[in-house]
Structures are given as structure tokens and as C-alpha cells.
Amino acid sequence: MNDKVENEYKDIINNAWDYYENKNINKATEEANEIIKKYPQKVGGYYLMGVIEYNKNNFVKSVEFLKNALEHDIENKAGGYIHFFLGKNYNEKSKEWFIDFVDNPIYNFNMAKFSFEKSFEYTDYPSDTVKELVKIHKKDHYRMVNILKKAIISFPENIDFILQYSNSLNEINKKEDSYSLVSINANKLKSSSLYYKAGTILYDSKDYANARLNFEKSKELIDQENTSSVSILSYQIANTYYKEEILEEALNYFQKSFDLIIEYNTKDIQYMNTDFWFSAFGIISILGDLNKIKPLKDFISTIPFNKDSFENFEYSGDFYLDNSQPFSINYEFYNDKCTKALDNLSKTNKDKTLLGKINWIKYLIHKEQNNQEDCLN
């Protein structure tokens, strides 16, 4: 094929993809079929038709076109993408996402797995190939490490892949490598998610000062309108100070975290975010440590006591940074310190309203320990 014909082919195939991307499927189909007639030895028309038929849930037809595309991929440049869509066709159980039974006549998990793995062997392949392989091998962390090691070379700015790689390294007890991976890439990509992940690794290693530095960098990079995430990062910074017994700074950040959620709730009363409780537990504990009885009494009076804040109480929370998957945080309760502070306050007060609030807070603490019956003792 001379240069003129090659350029004509490229123009036509690009035009056909433009129709497809703009959801003009009929015109894209017309163009793709014309390409197959005019350039039967070229891969592009067959591949585009394979993609179109897949998205129409015509799995058998899609596979026929994709196999033709594979036969005409003489230069082995498109195979990573062709095998990916072959895998997708074999992996779909049904034409409808809400149907449990299999009505795809070519559904075959082993063929899907084979196709995704073949896709991964090519130099060029879609990032979704990695996502499919991660789903398949999610329990085999040694295999995951090998997959994601290659994936971050092909997609060096994919934060999700870096985080998954770090998690798998951690699962096979390569904790230093896990930290090094996220730390280097956090600085390179200026990623709030990677700084946060580095912070959690250091926090779990009890390196609270350096964990705090990473939490602070993460907080600086996120949209300050993302109230829930800013609150949780402030909460994590507070925890690092509290673990180091730097009480006034810990109190300051717990209060910031608490105030952010309360302010958010006043803007949207339809949704009561109950994450304020965890910062509240930290504030109560520290005020007890500092023996600040009046400030503790005053603080408890500011806590919203309503039905939603008890019924929707959760012990872990999800929040988003700059990756596509949410982070999950397991909150610190400081149970013993919080309970001690509340017990001491109970002994010095006879106000029934205050005592009722104290008992409700103790209920939430003991609920986490499955000891609700102890809350009124």
C-alpha cells in the first residue's frame, strides 16, 4: 500500500472513530463496513466493528469481527486491544447487567482470562486490561505484584495502579518497598492519594511525625470544598499529635475536623454526616487528659444529639482524594480515655440533660465494643 492510499485509509478510519466517539453508531457502522470492503487486508474496519457489536451486546458477531482483526494484524500492533475486547465478550454473562443467569452463548471465563492475559503480553494494551487482570488475580498477591509492576511502567501516572501495587507489596511483607513506591511517586505526581497512603504506612509503623508530614501534604493538594476529606485528613493529623502526646495540637486538629463536619451539616440538613463523632471522641479524651472540666461540659452541649446521628453511626468511613477508588478509614475511639473523662464529668454534675448526653456518648463507645449494656453503669 503506497503512502497516498495509506493516508487515505488513516483519514477514513479516523473519521469512522470520530462518529463512534460522538455516538453516531449508524454512521460509524456504515464507515467501518465500507473500510472492510475497500481495505480488506487492514485491521481497522474489523476491529471497529468488533467494538461496535460488543457495545450492542452482539457478542458472537463481535468475536467474529475481532478474530478477523487479529488475522489481519500483521504488524502485531493492535493485538493488545483486540484480545482485550475478545476477553470482554467472553466475560459477559448476560446482555443485561441486572440478570443473574447466563444468556451469553459464548460466555467462557477461561477464554476471557486467556484473552486478557494475551492482551497483556503486547507492548500496547488498554489500561482496562490491567483492571480485568486485577479482578481475576486479586487474591494472588504475588501475581498481582508482577502485573502491577509492568502496569506502572506502561501507565506511570495511573495512581490506582500504584496504590494497588503498594497494597500487594504490603501483603507479601515487602513493606519498605511498598512505602518507597508511594513516597517516590507522591513527590513525582504531587498526588494527595499517594501522600495519604504514605502517611498511613508510616502511621501503622508508629512514625507519627513523618506520617503527619504526609497527611499535611495530602491535605494541601485537595480541593478545600471537599469537606469530608479535609475533615478526615485533619482528624488523621490530630491522631498523630495525640499519639505523640502533643495534646494542644491534637485538640486543635480534632476541633478543626469536628467544626468542618458541623458546618457542612448546617449547609445541607438533608444529610447528617455522622463522622463528627470520631473527632468528638478525640476532643473529649484530650479535655479529660487536661482536666478541663468546664470546656468539656461546654463542648458536649454543642454536639448535635439527634436520631440520625445515632442510627447512621458507622465505625469506618469512605472518602475520596485524587484516585478513582475511595479510601476507607478505621477510626480511633480512645475508648478508655473517653470513658474516663465522661465518668469523671458525671461525678461532678447533677444536670439531667448533661448526664443523658453523657450516657448516649458512652452508648456509642460501648456499641463499638459490643458492650452496650455497660453504657449506663
Side-chain angles (χ1 to χ4, degrees):
M1 188 180 288
N2 60 42
D3 290 345
K4 181 181 178 182
V5 176
E6 181 68 27
N7 289 334
E8 287 177 353
Y9 165 75
K10 287 181 179 178
D11 287 342
I12 295 171
I13 193 69
N14 287 337
N15 195 45
W17 276 104
D18 285 341
Y19 284 126
Y20 174 80
E21 296 293 341
N22 289 315
K23 302 189 186 306
N24 190 341
I25 304 304
N26 289 336
K27 192 64 178 173
T29 301
E30 182 183 317
E31 291 284 302
N33 282 319
E34 186 62 31
I35 291 166
I36 291 171
K37 290 178 183 177
K38 193 171 182 179
Y39 305 100
Q41 300 305 312
K42 301 293 286 186
V43 67
Y46 301 109
Y47 174 62
L48 177 53
M49 281 305 302
V51 174
I52 289 171
E53 294 297 346
Y54 166 75
N55 285 305
K56 289 181 176 180
N57 295 326
N58 295 329
F59 305 125
V60 175
K61 283 186 177 180
S62 176
V63 166
E64 289 175 0
F65 279 114
L66 292 168
K67 285 183 175 179
N68 266 316
L70 206 55
E71 288 178 10
H72 292 92
D73 185 29
I74 308 300
E75 297 178 353
N76 285 328
K77 289 184 176 180
Y81 291 85
I82 297 168
H83 279 291
F84 167 74
F85 273 102
L86 282 169
K88 292 294 285 183
N89 277 288
Y90 292 124
N91 206 37
E92 297 289 350
K93 290 184 178 181
S94 171
K95 294 180 181 180
E96 305 291 347
W97 65 268
F98 52 83
I99 294 177
D100 291 332
F101 60 83
V102 175
D103 65 359
N104 176 5
I106 60 169
Y107 170 71
N108 187 322
F109 173 76
N110 289 328
M111 282 298 296
K113 179 182 175 184
F114 170 81
S115 298
F116 293 135
E117 289 178 343
K118 286 296 291 183
S119 170
F120 196 57
E121 291 175 5
Y122 285 77
T123 301
D124 293 321
Y125 55 90
S127 61
D128 283 344
T129 293
V130 179
K131 295 176 184 178
E132 296 295 338
L133 290 173
V134 165
K135 291 177 190 174
I136 291 168
H137 298 288
K138 61 184 177 182
K139 294 183 179 179
D140 182 351
H141 291 288
Y142 286 96
R143 179 77 176 110
M144 289 274 282
V145 163
N146 289 328
I147 291 168
L148 292 161
K149 183 177 182 180
K150 178 182 175 182
I152 67 168
I153 294 172
S154 300
F155 306 99
E157 296 185 1
N158 191 305
I159 294 168
D160 288 329
F161 292 166
I162 295 168
L163 289 169
Q164 288 170 330
Y165 188 16
S166 171
N167 290 337
S168 290
L169 286 169
N170 192 59
E171 290 291 337
I172 62 173
N173 293 317
K174 291 191 174 183
K175 299 184 186 301
E176 290 184 6
D177 290 344
S178 175
Y179 171 72
S180 178
L181 174 72
V182 292
S183 180
I184 290 169
N185 282 285
N187 291 320
K188 186 187 299 183
L189 300 176
K190 301 303 177 187
S191 164
S192 60
S193 295
L194 296 178
Y195 278 122
Y196 179 76
K197 178 64 177 179
T200 61
I201 293 171
L202 292 167
Y203 186 88
D204 290 341
S205 301
K206 299 185 179 181
D207 185 352
Y208 301 121
N210 285 313
R212 181 164 59 249
L213 290 175
N214 281 277
F215 293 147
E216 288 170 344
K217 288 178 181 178
S218 177
K219 183 169 171 283
E220 289 169 6
L221 289 169
I222 64 174
D223 182 355
Q224 298 306 300
E225 296 298 316
N226 185 352
T227 306
S228 179
S229 296
V230 175
S231 174
I232 287 176
L233 286 166
S234 297
Y235 171 81
Q236 290 287 60
I237 292 168
N239 284 325
T240 65
Y241 279 120
Y242 202 8
K243 294 290 187 181
E244 292 183 308
E245 299 184 0
I246 306 174
L247 301 186
E248 292 292 349
E249 285 295 333
L251 180 61
N252 178 40
Y253 274 95
F254 278 134
Q255 189 69 56
K256 286 181 180 180
S257 175
F258 179 86
D259 290 343
L260 278 167
I261 295 299
I262 297 301
E263 181 183 352
Y264 179 69
N265 286 340
T266 60
K267 293 178 181 177
D268 184 6
I269 59 174
Q270 298 300 315
Y271 175 66
M272 285 298 298
N273 188 316
T274 58
D275 288 346
F276 65 77
W277 277 115
F278 304 99
S279 298
F281 295 149
I283 292 168
I284 292 167
S285 298
I286 293 173
L287 291 175
D289 288 341
L290 296 172
N291 198 31
K292 293 186 175 182
I293 302 301
K294 186 177 185 305
L296 176 56
K297 180 180 176 180
D298 292 342
F299 173 70
I300 290 175
S301 70
T302 70
I303 299 175
F305 283 81
N306 56 59
K307 185 179 179 181
D308 286 342
S309 69
F310 294 105
E311 288 187 349
N312 298 325
F313 187 78
E314 299 286 346
Y315 304 112
S316 62
D318 292 344
F319 65 102
Y320 287 87
L321 296 174
D322 61 0
N323 57 320
S324 66
Q325 300 297 317
F327 282 99
S328 182
I329 178 173
N330 291 317
Y331 293 105
E332 300 271 8
F333 276 78
Y334 303 111
N335 299 6
D336 293 340
K337 288 188 174 185
C338 196
T339 302
K340 181 180 178 181
L342 293 169
D343 286 342
N344 288 339
L345 184 60
S346 296
K347 293 173 184 177
T348 58
N349 283 274
K350 295 182 179 180
D351 184 289
K352 291 183 179 180
T353 301
L354 178 66
L355 292 173
K357 290 182 175 182
I358 289 172
N359 282 335
W360 275 115
I361 298 171
K362 288 170 66 179
Y363 168 80
L364 290 179
I365 295 170
H366 291 293
K367 184 179 177 185
E368 184 263 342
Q369 299 175 308
N370 294 317
N371 289 325
Q372 293 96 321
E373 69 277 7
D374 293 340
C375 71
L376 301 177
N377 294 338

